[in-house]
Amino acid sequence: MNINFNRRNFVLGHHPTWRFQIGSCVNEALQVAFKHLPYSHLRKCMQVSKSWRRLALEELQTRCIIHVSNVNHIKMVLQKLHGCANFRIGKCSLVNVGLDNVLLHKLFFKVQNSLHLLKLVHLAEIDELLLFKILNQLPNLTHLSVTSTTSKAEALNESHDHREECFKFPLLSGRTNAVYSPEKYDHGRSNMGEEANYANCNIHFKYKSIVHLHLDLGPHVAFQLGKIFQVFPNLIELAIANVREETRRKFLKSGEGLAAQYPQVKLKRLTLRQYSSIGFHEKLVQTLMRLNMHLEKLVVIFHPPSKALHSTSSLFRQFIESQGCSLKILKLEQVEDHLSLCISTDTSGNAQEQMMLSCVGPGKHDYYWDFNYTSPSISLLPMCLSNLQVLHVQKPLITNLAQVLHHFPSLKELSLRVCYGSNWKGMLPVKLEPHEKITRLKIDFIDSDSFARLGYCFPSLQTLQLSYCNESLFYVLCDSIPYFNGGGNLISCQQCHGTTQEFSVVKVKGRSDDETLNSVRREDAGVTGPSTNAMSTFRNNRCCPPMASSSTQNSNSQREKLLPREQRKKNPFKNLTLLTVRTCDHLPYEKFAFLQRENHSRTQSITFEDICNAEIDVGNCGEYPHNGFSWQESTIMDEHFVDFPVVDSSENESCSSA
Amino acid sequence: MALVRVISSDGAAFLVSQRLAKRSGKLKTEIETFRKSSDNSEAQPEIRIVTIRAEILRLVLQWLQQHQNDPVLPANQNEQDGRGDAEMGQSQWDRDFLAPMDLGIVMELILAANHLEVKGLLDITCKLVESKITGRTVDEIRTAFKLKSDFKGNEEEQTRLENRWCVEN
């Protein structure tokens, strides 16, 4: 069967019921089909036949992209437009071309019917009024991207992430660096008349994609959003900053008439002054929920419990849960005099940005939303977040760890913090199901009873940080983690607050747990001399007055009760490679001989004597001075791990003598 | 169950549920317009599609019925790159559905899907056309579509060079 698509009224098809006349419709069908073809296919189609060429060219011409980086290019394009009547341009990229150029306006006049994408890359700030005039010329524009760079090399490099230009809706000039203040607010209100004029100009942009507008909406978010939605009815993505309190009703009303159900709203960073000037209450949480932000990281810092409302707590839980699968990092913390809600929608994986975001400290960076909010009187957890990977939480916000682990199956890092004078007793139930994915754990004030069960709850644990551990916990550590006292290397030791010490012990690479354990046992049995025998020194010191207090003896007896011998032999912390311990003020450090022993090793660790003589430098610990929790992320252990060729000489001696 | 009467260009009537009909953007608009203009809320809407004949309309409705539980794709989805998610969402049923069809019927289906605003069907049919072009030379495309080159002299070469300066995004 021969088919000639160019012939009209041709009968096609072999099925008796599917006979139809095709000639009249094939061009229309091809026209539709060509819209779905990629560029390379269209170029191929142009060479098939004359009719295909015509159809493909029509489609192709609407997709034509021009890159203009100087005036000569504009002349060439204008010549092309003049010479080819059917030629149309769909996309235009302007790199550092003055918007006041007459030729450019002529070009826009020529392409005004076909141009649907405009990208402006400038080395300097763009005159917003000129841009507004140009946009007025382009009624069919659907995508607008405005970026600015600091160098020409960046401008010419398409793959470079350009710095976004700060525009104020609706492209008013002279307000690019406005910072919120009562005076500025009044200024903003006076400008609202101009905004209304713009809105009444019957400008009907068809923006559908990212509009790089940095919006300073002021307190009347709903009103301003309503304006934006009127001008950009097809908007699906909008970058805004500084969203303040709003009522749900107003916001819903402002969203009426949107083509998209809700626009994707990206929240941008605030300046430090903005950060400190925003109020917070429940309505803002409601507004944030409606904004459908899909956050990746969320940090909520609360005041200590006071007159909090139950409803607010559940509202917060709803807000957090509404982020769904996108939320990967959640930090719920409590401080005394600072409260903030830190929000980032950054999904680009920008390392620098992530790092800055992870270092949340009042007044340090400008990524925060600061809300006056007191912590809820009921716990926020559990909540269902299937993709959450990092959870930092304090005790008032959590009641039962088993529930938390059950609802966060993807969790990899867990940080459990408590206020001073409290502990995790009761938080870790006896029957806690193992969570296989957690590899990092930070925990404060854990009691020895809970710690004894910890290894069995987290079998994949690689990094463990214990803060404020007491003497009885130290005994459990020595029993549970062999290399802690026998075969590990001390990699850091520093003084934090007063007499509080922090030291990290890393497992020696290539040495098995059994080997370490045997070494410790040999030492324990008195095979080597007391000067190099860590465990026996430890025990000798423990028995010497005044160290051998009644509390110590009680701890020792408790230790025997807490950890059955069979369980201790199993070594639940077999995957642990780094242990960091922060001791309490009252712990008698001199009892722990391995600290002194490290002085003889070839590691570059700081000895206990060095610490005693060193000046106290609290500032280096990266902590809040008021409650002592650190926002520093754990360092990757492998870096230390690989570069550890040193085996303790005392270990070699003990092995050779054995 | 509320029904709607859809009539093809050649007079064949199809009674379909409104739920099914509303999966087509065009039919949905027509039903809503009918509801607004009609005083009797119980009246059965009757929609005449003058550009689609019965066989093609039957195929469209058949496809809609099969995909009645699929999520409705927005009309502007993936508009920017010009391609839908047909490749990902094309089921075995879709492949079996399109397999016995001639290219002519596929073309008519493209038009019908475009007219009735059935994005899923439009995607898979256009994908079928694309598959006839992908990885083939110009001669092979001509063979697949049973066409002959009507270029004279070096017109074909000129065509190739004409838009060379346009750069793919």
Side-chain angles (χ1 to χ4, degrees):
Chain A
M1 182 179 62
N2 291 322
I3 303 171
N4 187 349
F5 281 100
N6 295 324
R7 191 186 299 172
R8 288 181 170 272
N9 303 324
F10 194 88
V11 177
L12 178 76
H14 59 274
H15 195 282
T17 59
W18 286 358
R19 297 174 73 85
F20 61 97
Q21 295 177 333
I22 186 171
S24 58
C25 74
V26 69
N27 284 350
E28 289 176 55
L30 280 175
Q31 216 169 6
V32 176
F34 281 175
K35 285 185 191 300
H36 291 69
L37 291 184
Y39 186 89
S40 55
H41 288 21
L42 282 176
R43 289 206 328 181
K44 210 184 287 179
C45 291
M46 284 176 64
Q47 299 169 54
V48 172
S49 70
K50 283 184 178 176
S51 62
W52 277 49
R53 177 178 174 275
R54 184 175 53 79
L55 293 169
L57 195 61
E58 279 180 13
E59 176 59 30
L60 206 55
Q61 283 169 347
T62 62
R63 295 192 202 178
C64 273
I65 304 165
I66 56 166
H67 296 284
V68 178
S69 58
N70 59 50
V71 181
N72 288 335
H73 287 173
I74 304 175
K75 287 177 184 171
M76 284 168 60
V77 175
L78 285 172
Q79 280 176 0
K80 185 77 183 171
L81 285 166
H82 183 70
C84 180
N86 292 328
F87 191 74
R88 296 199 295 269
I89 293 168
K91 300 175 185 178
C92 179
S93 168
L94 295 174
V95 179
N96 201 29
V97 178
L99 297 182
D100 53 345
N101 193 298
V102 180
L103 284 175
L104 189 66
H105 285 263
K106 196 173 178 181
L107 173 69
F108 284 137
F109 180 75
K110 291 270 186 187
V111 300
Q112 61 178 346
N113 289 325
S114 60
L115 197 69
H116 57 86
L117 185 146
L118 177 62
K119 184 176 182 181
L120 300 174
V121 183
H122 266 238
L123 297 183
E125 286 188 1
I126 296 169
D127 188 326
E128 292 172 9
L129 285 175
L130 271 175
L131 178 61
F132 191 75
K133 282 180 185 173
I134 289 172
L135 297 178
N136 233 343
Q137 276 187 286
L138 305 169
N140 294 319
L141 209 62
T142 57
H143 297 81
L144 171 68
S145 171
V146 183
T147 54
S148 66
T149 64
T150 52
S151 70
K152 194 169 184 179
E154 286 177 7
L156 295 172
N157 184 6
E158 286 293 313
S159 62
H160 192 273
D161 290 330
H162 301 296
R163 180 169 58 87
E164 285 178 13
E165 186 71 72
C166 290
F167 282 108
K168 306 292 176 250
F169 175 79
L171 307 175
L172 290 173
S173 61
R175 294 180 59 201
T176 49
N177 295 316
V179 176
Y180 174 73
S181 68
E183 292 79 14
K184 293 282 180 186
Y185 169 55
D186 290 339
H187 173 65
R189 281 207 300 187
S190 65
N191 274 340
M192 280 165 64
E194 294 177 57
E195 291 169 8
N197 287 337
Y198 278 115
N200 291 331
C201 284
N202 293 326
I203 301 160
H204 196 77
F205 294 127
K206 294 179 181 176
Y207 298 151
K208 289 177 182 172
S209 186
I210 301 169
V211 180
H212 292 275
L213 297 175
H214 187 148
L215 300 167
D216 186 7
L217 295 177
H220 299 289
V221 179
F223 177 79
Q224 298 278 21
L225 281 177
K227 287 260 177 233
I228 294 166
F229 298 148
Q230 279 174 17
V231 181
F232 308 113
N234 296 312
L235 197 69
I236 57 171
E237 188 164 343
L238 169 70
I240 62 171
N242 210 355
V243 175
R244 295 186 175 86
E245 63 185 66
E246 195 45 71
T247 65
R248 184 187 177 116
R249 185 179 58 79
K250 279 184 182 175
F251 183 76
L252 287 174
K253 195 176 177 184
S254 68
E256 282 176 3
L258 272 177
Q261 189 178 6
Y262 289 108
Q264 185 78 20
V265 179
K266 284 190 173 179
L267 299 177
K268 297 293 180 186
R269 68 184 70 176
L270 303 181
T271 64
L272 194 61
R273 284 162 68 183
Q274 288 169 329
Y275 160 68
S276 59
S277 63
I278 305 169
F280 168 82
H281 55 78
E282 285 183 38
K283 288 171 184 174
L284 181 52
V285 181
Q286 289 173 342
T287 305
L288 291 174
M289 271 201 308
R290 302 302 298 178
L291 289 178
N292 190 21
M293 290 180 287
H294 299 293
L295 302 174
E296 189 176 328
K297 179 173 179 174
L298 174 64
V299 180
V300 188
I301 306 178
F302 297 99
H303 266 310
S306 59
K307 296 177 181 178
L309 298 171
H310 287 260
S311 61
T312 310
S313 173
S314 60
L315 186 68
F316 245 111
R317 190 160 52 218
Q318 282 175 25
F319 168 61
I320 295 168
E321 281 187 314
S322 70
Q323 306 310 316
C325 293
S326 64
L327 195 65
K328 291 180 180 172
I329 300 171
L330 175 62
K331 294 185 178 182
L332 303 169
E333 299 288 357
Q334 180 174 293
V335 294
E336 290 175 9
D337 56 352
H338 284 283
L339 355 142
S340 62
L341 174 64
C342 171
I343 294 171
S344 164
T345 54
D346 176 54
T347 54
S348 62
N350 188 316
Q352 187 181 1
E353 196 161 359
Q354 292 292 338
M355 186 189 71
M356 290 175 71
L357 285 167
S358 69
C359 301
V360 182
K364 287 182 183 174
H365 302 292
D366 53 0
Y367 277 80
Y368 319 111
W369 278 24
D370 193 5
F371 298 123
N372 296 314
Y373 187 61
T374 53
S375 69
S377 57
I378 60 169
S379 67
L380 279 172
L381 299 170
M383 57 181 79
C384 289
L385 294 166
S386 60
N387 212 19
L388 194 75
Q389 293 178 4
V390 178
L391 174 67
H392 289 212
V393 66
Q394 281 189 297
K395 185 175 179 179
L397 309 169
I398 181 175
T399 52
N400 191 334
L401 190 62
Q403 292 176 338
V404 174
L405 297 178
H406 178 70
H407 286 92
F408 301 140
S410 306
L411 205 62
K412 291 179 181 172
E413 183 177 327
L414 179 62
S415 176
L416 304 169
R417 300 187 182 280
V418 290
C419 298
Y420 189 83
S422 180
N423 60 37
W424 288 96
K425 225 168 194 174
M427 290 290 172
L428 293 162
V430 178
K431 290 184 179 178
L432 190 61
E433 288 186 12
H435 195 292
E436 300 284 345
K437 288 195 175 177
I438 292 181
T439 56
R440 287 183 181 186
L441 177 67
K442 292 179 189 175
I443 196 160
D444 283 354
F445 290 110
I446 189 168
D447 58 294
S448 50
D449 188 6
S450 302
F451 180 78
R453 295 194 300 271
L454 209 60
Y456 301 98
C457 303
F458 308 115
S460 308
L461 206 62
Q462 293 175 4
T463 308
L464 176 61
Q465 183 178 322
L466 298 170
S467 298
Y468 307 100
C469 83
N470 55 23
E471 198 176 348
S472 63
L473 182 56
F474 243 77
Y475 298 141
V476 181
L477 281 174
C478 292
D479 267 0
S480 308
I481 307 168
Y483 73 79
F484 178 67
N485 197 39
N489 280 330
L490 187 72
I491 58 166
S492 72
C493 191
Q494 59 182 322
Q495 195 144 8
C496 299
H497 295 289
T499 54
T500 304
Q501 307 276 340
E502 181 184 298
F503 48 89
S504 302
V505 184
V506 70
K507 191 178 180 179
V508 177
K509 192 179 183 183
R511 188 167 190 175
S512 69
D513 289 326
D514 291 339
E515 195 182 345
T516 307
L517 200 60
N518 289 334
S519 167
V520 173
R521 280 174 187 159
R522 277 198 300 274
E523 291 171 358
D524 208 6
V527 174
T528 55
S531 60
T532 56
N533 187 330
M535 195 62 171
S536 51
T537 309
F538 166 73
R539 287 198 170 172
N540 289 337
N541 284 337
R542 194 181 60 190
C543 297
C544 290
M547 307 303 175
S549 61
S550 58
S551 63
T552 310
Q553 289 171 1
N554 290 338
S555 302
N556 193 28
S557 60
Q558 280 175 0
R559 177 171 60 91
E560 296 297 329
K561 290 177 189 174
L562 295 172
L563 270 181
R565 188 164 293 279
E566 296 76 23
Q567 282 197 1
R568 272 186 284 158
K569 281 180 183 174
K570 284 179 184 173
N571 187 17
F573 294 96
K574 60 183 177 184
N575 293 319
L576 198 67
T577 54
L578 181 103
L579 172 69
T580 301
V581 177
R582 185 172 294 174
T583 60
C584 301
D585 294 353
H586 58 272
L587 194 69
Y589 305 105
E590 58 270 25
K591 289 202 294 184
F592 301 101
F594 70 92
L595 285 174
Q596 297 173 15
R597 186 167 57 91
E598 292 297 335
N599 196 26
H600 303 292
S601 70
R602 281 175 286 158
T603 58
Q604 294 180 347
S605 59
I606 306 165
T607 62
F608 177 69
E609 287 78 12
D610 292 332
I611 297 162
C612 291
N613 296 328
E615 291 181 6
I616 299 169
D617 186 6
V618 179
N620 288 337
C621 299
E623 298 186 352
Y624 288 137
H626 34 266
N627 71 344
F629 71 75
S630 168
W631 282 98
Q632 287 180 333
E633 298 289 335
S634 303
T635 51
I636 303 299
M637 300 317 129
D638 294 338
E639 290 174 13
H640 301 292
F641 199 81
V642 174
D643 298 323
F644 264 120
V646 178
V647 179
D648 195 337
S649 56
S650 61
E651 298 284 336
N652 292 334
E653 287 174 16
S654 64
C655 289
S656 60
S657 61
Chain B
M1 183 172 61
L3 296 172
V4 60
R5 192 181 174 88
V6 185
I7 301 169
S8 66
S9 61
D10 44 2
F14 296 86
L15 265 180
V16 293
S17 70
Q18 285 197 18
R19 179 173 167 271
L20 186 73
K22 281 182 177 177
R23 296 188 66 81
S24 152
K26 170 84 173 171
L27 294 180
K28 185 181 178 183
T29 312
E30 292 286 340
I31 291 167
E32 284 168 1
T33 311
F34 180 85
R35 287 273 169 253
K36 284 178 186 172
S37 59
S38 173
D39 297 332
N40 182 9
S41 60
E42 298 297 319
Q44 188 181 75
E46 189 175 287
I47 302 163
R48 185 172 291 274
I49 313 290
V50 292
T51 55
I52 304 172
R53 61 196 186 85
E55 283 305 318
I56 301 300
L57 188 58
R58 184 179 63 78
L59 288 171
V60 175
L61 294 174
Q62 191 183 346
W63 188 91
L64 281 175
Q65 192 170 22
Q66 177 64 28
H67 294 83
Q68 59 185 330
N69 296 322
D70 293 358
V72 179
L73 299 172
N76 59 355
Q77 188 174 351
N78 292 325
E79 197 175 73
Q80 195 173 358
D81 62 358
R83 289 181 292 277
D85 55 351
E87 196 171 18
M88 289 187 295
Q90 196 167 6
S91 63
Q92 184 60 43
W93 189 91
D94 286 337
R95 283 190 284 273
D96 294 342
F97 176 71
L98 294 174
M101 291 183 197
D102 285 310
L103 218 47
I105 296 215
V106 173
M107 292 293 180
E108 277 208 281
L109 265 181
I110 288 174
L111 282 180
N114 190 45
H115 181 72
L116 294 175
E117 297 169 30
V118 185
K119 188 173 186 310
L121 181 60
L122 184 64
D123 280 341
I124 62 164
T125 46
C126 287
K127 205 76 191 173
L128 187 69
V129 174
E130 190 185 337
S131 69
K132 303 275 183 192
I133 298 169
T134 308
R136 297 188 184 196
T137 61
V138 175
D139 287 335
E140 286 169 343
I141 294 169
R142 286 192 192 117
T143 310
F145 286 85
K146 298 183 175 64
L147 293 167
K148 286 181 181 175
S149 173
D150 50 1
F151 287 116
K152 290 173 186 173
N154 59 350
E155 279 182 346
E156 191 172 336
E157 182 62 17
Q158 279 181 349
T159 304
R160 194 174 63 80
L161 296 173
E162 197 170 20
N163 284 292
R164 193 177 55 178
W165 66 285
C166 298
V167 185
E168 176 72 78
N169 190 3

